[in-house]
């Protein structure tokens, strides 16, 4: 039975809501952090903090000791380059080594649905290669695992498309994304730890409504009450050109190209049946924003 969960990557945009939902579900949560002082400002008081570094295997082993499971939320930052240390590559390998040594019973890992665009329309990006390799590492670890493949998060619409009072779009969004709120996803993660035993499981994570990027931004602008927002749009070719000179722009151009063109289909019915149906609508999420 899972009762004590260590969360890796619990202070960010997607990590914090999962930590909150796990704690609310009654699990004893420890979050691995680099700086306790900073994390105290972010996480709820009923969460234990353990300092550690993904490049320091000894610190991971210390943090993992006496925990039943590990939830992993890692990402490649916009300014990273192929030769850098990547949390989803070398960092994940250290996590798995520590998990085996400390006899962790289950690993849960958030991946991405859009990585399935890799190889389509001659799209080939080293970031998606690393993300796919991370899934392979989890599968071959020998530890019972749960892998989540989420669509776009509502929080991403808020943080990634909005710049001040402008909502920035690039290229043409051709397919609907079944956008989900992070707290709904967190509830599903919590449910998975409650019902799964020794089996391996992979879940598609999608929300109740499908939007193209343009439609999602229009819905955001329609219901946002804090300011009057304008929608601005640039050609994806401009981002690709700017990406020649900026690692961050290069990252943005690639992820938007994938999001705009990946033919996402709704495939989360089994997830809803086992982990619960998401209830948050985009308009309700937006109305609560400051």
């Amino acid at each position: 039975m899972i009762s004590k969960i260590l969360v890796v990557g619990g202070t960010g945009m997607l990590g914090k809501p999962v930590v909150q939902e796990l704690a609310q579900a009654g699990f004893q949560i420890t979050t691995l952090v680099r700086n306790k002082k900073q994390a105290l400002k972010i996480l709820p008081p009923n969460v234990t903090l353990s300092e550690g570094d993904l490049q320091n295997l000894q610190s991971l082993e210390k943090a993992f000791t006496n925990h039943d499971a590990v939830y992993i939320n890692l990402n490649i930052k916009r300014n990273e380059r192929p030769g850098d240390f990547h949390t989803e590559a070398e960092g994940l390998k250290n996590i798995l080594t520590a998990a085996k040594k400390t006899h962790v019973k289950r690993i849960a890992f958030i991946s991405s649905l859009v990585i399935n665009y890799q190889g389509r329309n001659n799209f080939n990006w080293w970031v998606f290669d690393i993300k796919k390799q991370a899934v392979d590492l989890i599968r071959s670890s020998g530890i019972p695992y749960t892998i989540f493949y989420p669509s776009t998060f509502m929080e991403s619409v808020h943080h990634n498309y909005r710049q001040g009072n402008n909502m920035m779009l690039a290229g043409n969004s051709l397919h609907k994304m079944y956008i989900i709120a992070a707290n709904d996803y967190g509830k599903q993660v919590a449910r998975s730890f409650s019902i799964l035993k020794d089996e391996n499981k992979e879940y598609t994570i999608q929300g109740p409504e499908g939007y193209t990027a343009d439609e999602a931004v229009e819905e955001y602008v329609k219901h946002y009450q804090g300011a009057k927002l304008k929608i601005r749009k640039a050609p994806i070719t401009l981002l690709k050109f700017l990406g020649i000179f900026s690692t961050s722009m290069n990252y943005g151009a690639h992820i938007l190209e994938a999001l705009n063109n990946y033919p996402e289909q709704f495939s989360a019915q089994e997830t809803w049946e086992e982990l619960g149906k998401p209830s948050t609508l985009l308009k309700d999420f937006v109305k609560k924003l400051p």
Side-chain angles (χ1 to χ4, degrees), residues 3 64 90 92 131 142 163 177 197-198 211 219 224 234 238 267 276 281:
S3 61
F64 284 24
E90 296 83 6
L92 180 58
K131 288 183 174 294
Q163 296 182 17
M177 305 171 286
K197 297 180 180 178
D198 296 329
Y211 295 95
E219 186 79 349
Y224 184 69
L238 176 60
S267 56
L281 303 180

Side-chain angles (χ1 to χ4, degrees), residues 215-228:
E215 291 168 344
V217 165
E218 288 170 3
E219 186 79 349
Y220 186 107
V221 171
K222 179 180 178 181
H223 294 285
Y224 184 69
Q225 300 172 351
K228 186 175 181 180

Side-chain angles (χ1 to χ4, degrees), residues 19-29 186-187 189-191 194:
V19 168
Q20 292 172 328
E21 295 297 338
L22 288 172
Q24 189 170 335
F27 294 103
Q28 297 179 48
I29 305 301
K187 289 181 174 66
V189 172
R191 176 65 177 162
S194 296

